[in-house]
Structures are given as C-alpha cells and as structure tokens.
Amino acid sequence: MQYEDFQFLLFDRQPDGVLLITLNRPEVMNATNARMHWELTQVWSTVHDDPLVKVVVITGAGERAFSAGGDLSVVEAMSSSQEATLRVMKEASDIVYNMLACDKPIISAINGTAVGAGLAVALLADVSVMAEEAKLTDGHARLGVSAGDHAAIIWPILCGMAKAKYYLMTAEFVDGKEAERIGLVTFCAPRAEVLSKSLAIAANLARGSQTAIRATKKSLNNWMRMAGPVFDNSLAMEMLCFLGLDVKEGLAALREKRQPVFPSAQLPNG
C-alpha cells in the first residue's frame, strides 16, 4: 500500500527519517472500525519497505485517546458470524506478527485511553511513552471473552506473570504511573510532553547505527517469537469465546452502561 491509500491513518514525515503516524478517528476516540483494524495490519510492511523511514512514532488524534478499542458493531458481527470472526482473527494475528517483522523501531506515544487493537499496537511498540493520567486496559474479560489479541505474547514479558494474570483476568484499568512502575510501558510523562518526548527518542534512534539498532530489535523480538504458540492458542481461545452466551451479555452491558451478569458466573439451581 501507498501512504495515500490509508483512510484512518495520517502520516507526517519528521526530520531525519522519523515518521509520525496518527490514528485518526477522533470523533470516536480513535476506536478501530473494520477498515482501521485492517489498515493496522498493512502499515508495518509499508513502513518496513520505505527507505526514507528510520523510526516510527504512532499516536492518537486529539487529547482524549490513543485508541478506545473496537467499534461495538464489529464485536456484534463477530458474535453472530463465523466469517467476521475468522477475518478479525487473521487481522489480530497479522497486527502482532507484522509489527514484530518491521525492522524499524516503533515508538508509541500513548496520549490517552488505550484499549483493544490500539492497546496491542501501543504495547507491542519497541518503546512506549504514556501520559501519566492516561489509562489502559485489556478489556476482553469485561466483554466475556478471553484475552487474545496481543496480551499472552507480551504482558508476561513486560510486567511479569503475577501482574499480567491479575490485570488480564480482572480487566482493571492501569494509569500511566502504575504502567511505568510495573514495566508495562517504558516511560510515563505529563500528557503535554508525551509526543515531544517520543519524537526526541525517535530522533536519537534515527542518529544511531541503523544496522545495530535493527539487529538488536530483531534479536530481542525472538523472545516474543518463542511465545508465538502461546499467542496463537490465546487468539483461538478468544474467538471460541465469541460463540458463547457471555459475550452477548457483555455486549449488552456495555451498550446499556451497566455491570454484566454473565451466564457462566451463575451457580446451577439447587
């Protein structure tokens, strides 16, 4: 793809080979619709093949969110369509593996809420800078499906198994200060400084040995590649959950802004 082919990603070339990518659906807090989700699978090979790009910084449009998860219409389609579920499954896998395959360093400037596919991009970045007051969550359990789109491959490596299990099973929100403290993100900063700090890190990487930096990234990414079977299984388990009753209740609860009453949490009569 060419940069002009993308509908919901904006591209701004910065000095010395730094490319700023902006998730651009600010009217819905940069939530991923079907098109944006697909674009997030394609952009990394486009960047990888661009000889003018040395480092990527990715952020969200506006001040409220990096990306507030997926459109509920996509979730609803997955709960009733095998075709939709298989499409999203492939794309979720492609986002992870295409980011790992991109040889250019990726920096996420997490300026606000990060959930869903946006969170996958934020945490799979090689360096992450998060606003202190921003919040992130892997909200799959709140919806009634297992954590699958990125969490199993990266959370235990970033913050350890104890924290990963707790936050992935409870779907609690984590703010920037706590995310930095437990190692889930590289740095936190005041919101007004997140993008400038990210661009400064990118500029520094752009001045370094590109051969050495890319080889280092490739070597370290092998830790994630070793966890590939864990991730593949988690993604399949997530998709199986979309066939159950819990996701229908989770979706209804989200729309009605109430706590879900999951069928699987109810004790049998007697």
Side-chain angles (χ1 to χ4, degrees):
M1 290 180 69
Q2 303 299 312
Y3 293 121
E4 58 268 22
D5 296 329
F6 291 85
Q7 295 180 19
F8 296 110
L9 302 181
L10 300 180
F11 302 92
D12 183 13
R13 293 189 185 274
Q14 305 289 306
D16 200 21
V18 174
L19 179 67
L20 175 62
I21 302 175
T22 303
L23 307 175
N24 189 42
R25 296 186 75 216
E27 69 282 2
V28 290
M29 297 177 67
N30 305 315
T32 54
N33 59 9
R35 173 72 188 196
M36 182 192 275
H37 195 261
W38 177 76
E39 288 183 359
L40 288 173
T41 73
Q42 300 297 303
V43 67
W44 310 112
S45 58
T46 302
V47 166
H48 178 91
D49 294 335
D50 186 347
L52 300 179
V53 172
K54 292 189 282 186
V55 186
V56 174
V57 175
I58 186 164
T59 193
E63 298 181 355
R64 299 174 60 198
F66 181 83
S67 178
D71 276 355
L72 293 185
S73 60
V74 176
V75 176
E76 186 172 37
M78 293 174 66
S79 68
S80 58
S81 167
Q82 182 189 46
E83 181 181 0
T85 300
L86 291 175
R87 174 182 57 78
V88 173
M89 181 178 179
K90 181 183 184 303
E91 290 178 1
S93 179
D94 287 346
I95 289 172
V96 170
Y97 287 121
N98 290 349
M99 287 189 74
L100 293 179
C102 178
D103 68 353
K104 318 292 175 67
I106 302 167
I107 300 169
S108 58
I110 310 169
N111 54 310
T113 303
V115 185
L119 178 62
V121 171
L123 296 187
L124 284 164
D126 305 298
V127 179
S128 50
V129 183
M130 182 174 177
E132 293 172 342
E133 61 272 40
K135 293 184 177 182
L136 61 80
T137 180
D138 188 297
H140 285 79
R142 189 180 298 111
L143 181 62
V145 298
S146 61
D149 64 354
H150 77 290
I153 201 170
I154 192 64
W155 281 60
I157 294 174
L158 292 176
C159 64
M161 189 62 77
K163 294 293 188 183
K165 282 185 175 180
Y166 178 79
Y167 284 113
L168 296 176
M169 290 192 296
T170 63
E172 285 188 11
F173 280 88
V174 185
D175 65 23
K177 290 182 179 180
E178 180 67 3
E180 182 189 44
R181 188 188 74 81
I182 66 177
L184 201 53
V185 299
T186 314
F187 302 109
C188 73
R191 189 189 302 273
E193 299 174 14
V194 167
L195 184 57
S196 60
K197 184 176 181 69
S198 299
L199 290 171
I201 294 170
N204 183 48
L205 288 170
R207 290 190 293 268
S209 165
Q210 299 305 292
T211 303
I213 289 169
R214 293 174 193 181
T216 298
K217 170 178 175 170
K218 184 174 183 178
S219 295
L220 292 174
N221 276 356
N222 283 327
W223 288 102
M224 276 80 86
R225 290 191 178 92
M226 285 195 299
V230 176
F231 166 66
D232 295 341
N233 179 74
S234 73
L235 188 56
M237 295 293 287
E238 177 191 359
M239 298 303 130
L240 281 174
C241 287
F242 275 98
L243 302 176
L245 296 177
D246 278 1
V247 70
K248 297 183 186 301
E249 167 60 14
L251 184 59
L254 279 175
R255 285 184 163 151
E256 296 165 14
K257 298 182 179 180
R258 60 172 174 82
Q259 288 295 315
V261 182
F262 292 119
S264 68
Q266 308 310 304
L267 292 173
N269 293 331

